[in-house]
Amino acid sequence: MTAPESGRGIGNGESSAEITTTFGFPRDTFRILHVSTGNVCRSPVTERLTRHFVSQRLGILGGGLIVESAGTWGHEGAPMEAHAETVLAEFGADASGFVGRELLDEHVIRADLVLTATRDHRAQVISMGHSAGLRTFTLKEFTRLVNAIDPATLPPLDEGLVMRARALVRAAAALRGWLLAPTAEADEVYDPYGAPLTFFRSIGDEIFEALDPVVTALTGVPARA
């Protein structure tokens, strides 16, 4: 297993002084892995918007949070799609330095939360094993579950972002069988690959609307007006 590529995470929580898990990965970090197909459109946008929104709320990057992405048919080494970069820029997020990755076992093993674009992606991640079922959701599914969680039941941020994030995932997993999607399509973020900029913008808006309550629950800080 290799170390994560430089620049894929946020924060400085990967020093040798950290407490590690049985897999040898840091225990005082929390990794979010966004997954789509090619890792050039949806998952890069979701990755970079997550970083952007967390830093907006907390004023800093870090707190042990690492945000990454990969694709089930990832374009290894490919740049982000130009329209995806445009959408990120319109949200004020940074698209620089992005490099596409193919989803590997090691990415799933060390992820604390996997958020996928579609149900098919979720099924592919879970089929890889590594006890991924309880920590893998589609993005919109996770949003629906998070919206049903009372923030007062989560650890306060002053106890650490990692502790709060782990509690959020456990609470969401406990609710999954009780809060089903109204339709199958409700949990999907459709692929804009090859589409015009207007469609990329609509997908960007969907991702924004799904991420906003998740980041609010994660940080305990609502979006600025």
Side-chain angles (χ1 to χ4, degrees):
M1 298 177 187
T2 59
E5 293 85 348
S6 175
R8 293 310 295 255
I10 61 176
N12 57 1
E14 298 194 78
S15 71
S16 60
E18 289 174 322
I19 301 172
T20 58
T21 69
T22 54
F23 290 116
F25 297 122
R27 191 62 187 164
D28 56 349
T29 60
F30 185 89
R31 288 180 181 269
I32 300 175
L33 175 66
H34 294 292
V35 175
S36 62
T37 303
N39 194 216
V40 292
C41 298
R42 289 167 291 180
S43 52
V45 168
T46 315
E47 172 195 324
R48 294 304 176 94
L49 283 182
T50 302
R51 297 187 191 188
H52 180 63
F53 295 150
V54 169
S55 64
Q56 277 187 327
R57 284 161 170 75
L58 299 182
I60 58 170
L61 299 179
L65 182 66
I66 297 169
V67 185
E68 312 178 285
S69 64
T72 55
W73 290 87
H75 296 238
E76 188 74 28
M80 194 184 308
E81 280 289 294
H83 288 339
E85 289 190 358
T86 298
V87 168
L88 284 173
E90 290 173 351
F91 278 108
D94 182 15
S96 65
F98 180 85
V99 178
R101 302 192 303 180
E102 182 177 356
L103 181 66
L104 302 176
D105 288 272
E106 66 190 65
H107 301 145
V108 176
I109 288 170
R110 65 192 180 198
D112 297 287
L113 171 62
V114 184
L115 297 177
T116 70
T118 70
R119 292 168 296 148
D120 282 346
H121 296 134
R122 181 185 63 193
Q124 289 180 64
V125 171
I126 293 172
S127 73
M128 295 171 72
H130 315 303
S131 303
L134 291 177
R135 51 195 168 90
T136 303
F137 309 79
T138 74
L139 171 62
K140 289 185 175 181
E141 173 192 21
F142 194 66
T143 302
R144 182 175 68 255
L145 299 172
V146 163
N147 282 334
I149 297 170
D150 181 356
T153 64
L154 299 173
L157 190 59
D158 58 12
E159 292 185 15
L161 183 61
V162 170
M163 183 177 294
R164 184 180 177 93
R166 294 189 190 282
L168 182 66
V169 173
R170 288 195 300 269
L175 287 172
R176 178 150 39 191
W178 298 92
L179 293 175
L180 302 180
T183 66
E185 293 73 24
D187 282 344
E188 306 280 292
V189 177
Y190 291 107
D191 193 355
Y193 185 78
L197 179 57
T198 52
F199 189 65
F200 269 81
R201 284 179 172 139
S202 70
I203 294 300
D205 288 341
E206 283 186 34
I207 292 171
F208 166 80
E209 290 173 7
L211 274 179
D212 182 65
V214 170
V215 176
T216 296
L218 187 68
T219 63
V221 181
R224 297 172 183 170

